[in-house]
Amino acid sequence: MTSAPDPHPTTGTTHPPATLIVGPTAGGKSSLAMSLARRARDRGIDTEIVSADSMQIYRGMDIGTAKPTEAERAEIPHHLIDIREPTESFSVHEWLALTEATLDELRAAGKAAIVVGGTHLYAKALLEGLFVGPEPDPGLRAELEAIPPHERRAELERVDPSAGARIHPNDDRRTIRALEVYRQTGIPISTHQHQWDAGRTRRDLRLVGLDWAPELVNRRINARVRAMIDAGLVDEVRALWHTDRLGPQAREALGYKHLIDHLAGRATLDDAIERIKIDTRRLAKNQRTWLRRLRTTPGSVWINAADTPPEHWPDHIF
């Protein structure tokens, strides 16, 4: 039930391992990637960045996804950004295939790669392979979609408490998929996914993590949400919403779904902003579960971000 990437061993090759940067949302991952790429360039190593963010793939969703600026992308080439319209769906399987192809192309060109982003499912899949469940059953899926959301949620928490704790209550897509796998196999999806923690790793990828205390990350989240609003996030969402450019996946993005509620008259702007902060802090809490899993990766480097000035974070790596 697992599809694992074919590792490219470092033995017998001059290519350095790619670097995979993980950490909590608003934790400074993209800043570290840029600093590391600049340092590598200064030492004569041509380096490019690959996004591991499930929402930065969408064109027009710039402010709310903390997408690298045009200046940053001009300075250091970035991949897997702006590759889909927000009306399109996108899966971890697609991301993994595109990322493996990109890493192969960079290696062939003699370039180093930095993979960075806040979608830790992507990071886990790149490191250890990807759980591949049974094929979707259209009839079963239609049956699950017809169940009232609160009843679906109750069933998930009953048959798979681990998935219930990990999947956000508003994430209907993942809730339905978890129930679909359980009904088809009789085994919770979280049990299937535990095989990821069997210790398999690849030698061509170096994992770097940023460590933050929860209270410090929460402060950074609140400040970033405010900065996004000040930068024009409301106008960005309004433009996408009014032109009907947001598909089901894009509509679930943090910030976008909350501001759609505001624009539709279901929430005041202040209430929407507060909900963005709360849900982003909840995301950071869920990310800590992923990061605890990733911390067991052999040879990984973890940086105590609060105790080290950002300009010295690369010192731990390069």
Side-chain angles (χ1 to χ4, degrees):
M1 300 284 280
T2 300
S3 171
D6 183 25
H8 302 266
T10 55
T11 305
T13 178
T14 58
H15 298 313
T19 299
L20 171 62
I21 299 174
V22 298
T25 188
K29 298 182 296 296
S30 296
S31 176
L32 173 57
M34 285 296 297
S35 296
L36 196 60
R38 290 179 181 125
R39 181 171 294 194
R41 179 190 59 196
D42 292 344
R43 298 187 183 185
I45 303 172
D46 200 359
T47 302
E48 300 186 6
I49 293 173
V50 181
S51 172
D53 189 290
S54 64
M55 291 297 154
Q56 288 185 358
I57 65 160
Y58 290 126
R59 303 180 189 103
M61 295 176 65
D62 303 328
I63 298 171
T65 65
K67 198 173 287 181
T69 65
E70 290 185 9
E72 288 171 331
R73 292 160 68 181
E75 179 186 358
I76 303 293
H78 284 64
H79 300 266
L80 304 192
I81 291 176
D82 291 344
I83 61 172
R84 293 286 189 277
E85 284 299 313
T87 52
E88 298 178 88
S89 62
F90 190 74
S91 71
V92 60
H93 299 269
E94 293 176 90
W95 178 85
L96 188 58
L98 289 171
T99 297
E100 292 289 0
T102 301
L103 294 179
D104 284 343
E105 290 172 5
L106 293 176
R107 287 188 195 98
K111 297 179 180 181
I114 299 171
V115 183
V116 61
T119 305
H120 290 111
L121 172 62
Y122 287 6
K124 190 75 169 173
L126 186 62
L127 277 170
E128 299 184 10
L130 186 63
F131 164 69
V132 180
E135 288 295 317
D137 180 328
L140 175 57
R141 182 155 293 191
E143 178 185 338
L144 291 168
E145 289 173 347
I147 298 174
H150 70 279
E151 292 183 16
R152 275 201 307 263
R153 183 69 188 180
E155 181 178 349
L156 177 64
E157 292 176 352
R158 177 174 56 81
V159 303
D160 193 349
S162 295
R166 187 178 69 252
I167 298 172
H168 190 278
N170 294 334
D171 193 337
D172 288 335
R173 182 176 60 85
R174 292 178 65 205
T175 296
I176 289 170
R177 179 56 178 163
L179 289 174
E180 183 179 48
V181 169
Y182 177 77
R183 290 197 183 186
Q184 287 178 296
T185 68
I187 299 171
I189 194 171
S190 59
T191 300
H192 288 299
Q193 292 170 336
H194 282 164
Q195 62 192 294
W196 281 3
D197 298 313
R200 290 182 303 107
T201 55
R202 51 193 295 172
R203 290 174 288 164
D204 65 329
L205 200 62
R206 173 181 55 177
L207 179 65
V208 174
L210 285 170
D211 260 338
W212 285 97
E215 62 274 11
L216 297 180
V217 166
N218 289 343
R219 289 181 210 160
R220 291 173 65 93
I221 287 169
N222 292 342
R224 188 166 78 166
V225 170
R226 187 71 258 175
M228 286 177 170
I229 296 297
D230 292 343
L233 180 57
V234 177
D235 289 337
E236 178 173 287
V237 177
R238 181 184 289 111
L240 292 165
W241 185 59
H242 281 176
T243 55
D244 201 24
R245 287 186 61 206
L246 290 171
Q249 282 188 223
R251 279 176 174 266
E252 287 302 305
L254 281 171
Y256 294 83
K257 63 180 179 180
H258 305 86
L259 291 175
I260 288 172
D261 282 343
H262 163 62
L263 294 171
R266 295 188 292 266
T268 67
L269 179 58
D270 285 344
D271 285 344
I273 293 171
E274 191 58 31
R275 289 305 310 176
I276 296 172
K277 293 177 181 177
I278 290 169
D279 284 351
T280 307
R281 293 195 298 265
R282 184 178 289 121
L283 169 65
K285 181 179 179 181
N286 292 340
Q287 287 175 330
R288 287 194 282 277
T289 300
W290 286 104
L291 293 171
R292 281 195 294 271
R293 289 181 179 181
L294 294 171
R295 182 177 280 281
T296 63
T297 303
S300 57
V301 176
W302 293 83
I303 301 168
N304 189 325
D307 289 348
T308 308
E311 61 269 23
H312 291 301
W313 289 351
D315 295 346
H316 294 268
I317 309 163
F318 193 23

